[in-house]
Amino acid sequence: VQLQASGGGSVQTGDSLKLTCVVSGGAFTDSGMGWFRQPPGKEREFVAAIGLGPDTHYYSGFAKGRFTISRDNAKNTVYLEMNDLKPEDTAVYYCSMNHGTTAVTRHSVDYWGQGTQVTVSS
């Protein structure tokens, strides 16, 4: 299974970014997908996840209202749309995948993507 994340970059406070993660080699439609992030010098933390059923979205407190996770099963792709970005959103963002379940903690993730850097300057 390979997860290829992209879409990171350097932006200003208040800007938006859309991250993309394309999955190959796995049962995407049977998997919960998620995004985590790791700020500089900190542990990896949960951002958002999307499950298998309708309306199964999970968000961390800092992501609610600003970030939106979505998936396109026809393209084996999960997205994270981030709006109103703040300097504290600066981190490496990782997509994750779990067969049959949806992970909201880093210890329960089955597969990780390679990460994409997001830098928000004030």
Side-chain angles (χ1 to χ4, degrees):
V1 178
Q2 288 191 326
L3 286 70
Q4 183 70 41
S6 62
S10 296
V11 297
Q12 301 289 319
T13 297
D15 285 350
S16 299
L17 277 176
K18 187 172 185 178
L19 307 183
T20 299
C21 177
V22 180
V23 177
S24 59
F28 183 83
T29 55
D30 294 329
S31 300
M33 301 298 300
W35 289 93
F36 289 71
R37 71 183 187 184
Q38 189 162 11
K42 297 184 179 180
E43 293 184 339
R44 195 170 298 187
E45 60 184 0
F46 172 73
V47 178
I50 184 167
L52 306 177
D55 301 321
T56 53
H57 301 81
Y58 309 91
Y59 293 96
S60 63
F62 62 79
K64 284 181 181 177
R66 297 191 300 130
F67 296 2
T68 302
I69 189 170
S70 61
R71 64 190 296 163
D72 185 338
N73 288 341
K75 296 182 178 180
N76 284 8
T77 300
V78 63
Y79 305 97
L80 183 69
E81 186 166 2
M82 305 185 293
N83 298 312
D84 190 25
L85 284 163
K86 307 174 187 300
E88 52 264 41
D89 294 318
T90 295
V92 178
Y93 283 71
Y94 298 89
C95 58
S96 67
M97 177 175 173
N98 275 67
H99 285 148
T101 63
T102 304
V104 296
T105 64
R106 66 183 188 272
H107 303 294
S108 54
V109 169
D110 291 336
Y111 303 99
W112 291 105
Q114 88 288 3
T116 184
Q117 176 72 47
V118 172
T119 303
V120 185
S121 56
S122 57

